[in-house]
Amino acid sequence: MSPSKQAILVTGGCGYIGSHTVLRLLESGYKVIVVDNLSNSSYESLRRVHKLYAITAAASPSAQFEDAALPVETLIPFYQVDILDRHGLVKVFEDHPEISSVIHFAGRKAVGESGRIPLDYYNVNISGTVNLLQVMEDFHVRKIVFSSSATVYGNPPSIPIPETSPIVTVMSPYGRTKVFLEHILKDLCVASVIKQQQHLQDRTNNTDGANGAEVERNYEWSVMLLRYFNPAGAHPSGIMGEDCKGTPNNLMPFLSQVAVGKLERLAVFGNDYPTDDGTCIRDYLHVVDLAQGHVAALEKLDQEQAAGNYGCKAYNLGTGTGYSVFDMVKAFNKAVGTDLPYKVTDRRAGDVPNLTSDPRLANKELNWRAEKTLDEMCADLWRWQRNNPDGYAVSPSIPHPV
Ligand code: UD1
């Protein structure tokens, strides 16, 4: 099916990665429906998506972009629904029988918090996802792209990390929800193959109770697990980015808040790791590249389905290049034009020295590659933070939703 005919349900579509992905989907010709409970995100992000999509449409007038003239509510049907709310999800699928796939971002993601309230994390991430999968099954929508994380590799035995590196459970409750969900999705695929074989057998034997009248069905699931490395940056327009509620947990949003004076200085969590400068190494990738990875994933799932292939597969989404904390501070200082204050403190519990991807499988099979540079990532993040020091909370140019 061509993208222009496909409707994608994006859960968590108002969040940082979700909103950038919604924009890339629209720009790639998909119809998008968003579900988000707005617990850690803002509807304003979809207004920004709408604005950016109109800019894309104006720059390349074609019939594909005619829908950019629609009001945001029509262009992107939005449901403030929690993934734990089964009736709410059912209503979304009833209203939109055209949904063919789901990109599932919704979930809780603060590592430290997950250690304090693990049951909340297991409830939202695991029960919420199982709920979503059951509703998808009920509506015969069996194609999903899932937000996994490099955290599933724990402290990997070798760098760069291929997808075949062991998946571990020695980590935070948040990290474990990602591992468990990967297993749940794999189990679902295995079970769906058995169900499909049984269905075909029943039809052959004419024991399906349909007297041969029932059309052949396909019960098989197509699942893609995308293991993100460290998403960073913002849309190059400077009007869409990460809107952190409270003090950021992650390095780049923390640094950007130091740059606008909201935070005093960066705490560098340890400089005694076995790396060149003693700080941890991560594989930072631009959020726009990451968003494109989801479009590539959907295209791949379609190609595989067209070839009769279903099942579950994992891909790393990273650049393949690692940078230390000090490398990142230096690169961001360059973008800001000043040296930001920092202090080396104790290590943070749970940090591992190096998480750098081997992205070659995604490069080859998804035809996807992270293209943006570290400098672009930092410049775009700074443009966003400088223009929106309070994120989406204060919006001089765009009114709040009524
Ligand atoms: C973290 C999570 C990971 C999650 C990802 C995305 C941990 C252990 N891992 O990845 O599971 O998928 O976020 O949300 O939390 N750093 C500082 N000072 C800071 C913040 C970070 O020095 O104020 C350092 C960290 O020690 C780390 C690096 O910066 O070495 C990157 O940290 P962060 O941005 O939090 O990402 P991860 O820890 O890699």
Side-chain angles (χ1 to χ4, degrees), residues 109-112 148-152 172 174-175 178 228-231 242 248-255 266-270 273 279-282 284 324-325 345 347-353 355:
K109 61 166 191 173
V111 174
S148 189
S149 166
T151 199
V152 301
S172 65
Y174 155 77
K178 295 293 180 191
Y228 310 152
F229 281 68
N230 287 59
E242 184 168 13
N249 297 305
N250 298 116
L251 176 64
M252 296 312 285
F254 196 103
L255 257 184
L266 175 74
V268 174
F269 297 143
Y273 285 95
T279 65
C280 294
I281 292 173
R282 295 289 181 271
Y284 296 88
S324 73
V325 176
T345 65
R347 289 181 176 196
R348 179 173 68 179
D351 279 342
V352 298
L355 284 174

Side-chain angles (χ1 to χ4, degrees), residues 235-238 376 378-388:
H235 192 274
S237 62
E376 285 176 284
C378 292
D380 292 342
L381 171 59
W382 178 227
R383 193 175 303 109
W384 153 254
Q385 187 69 68
R386 200 182 45 204
N387 291 353
N388 306 268

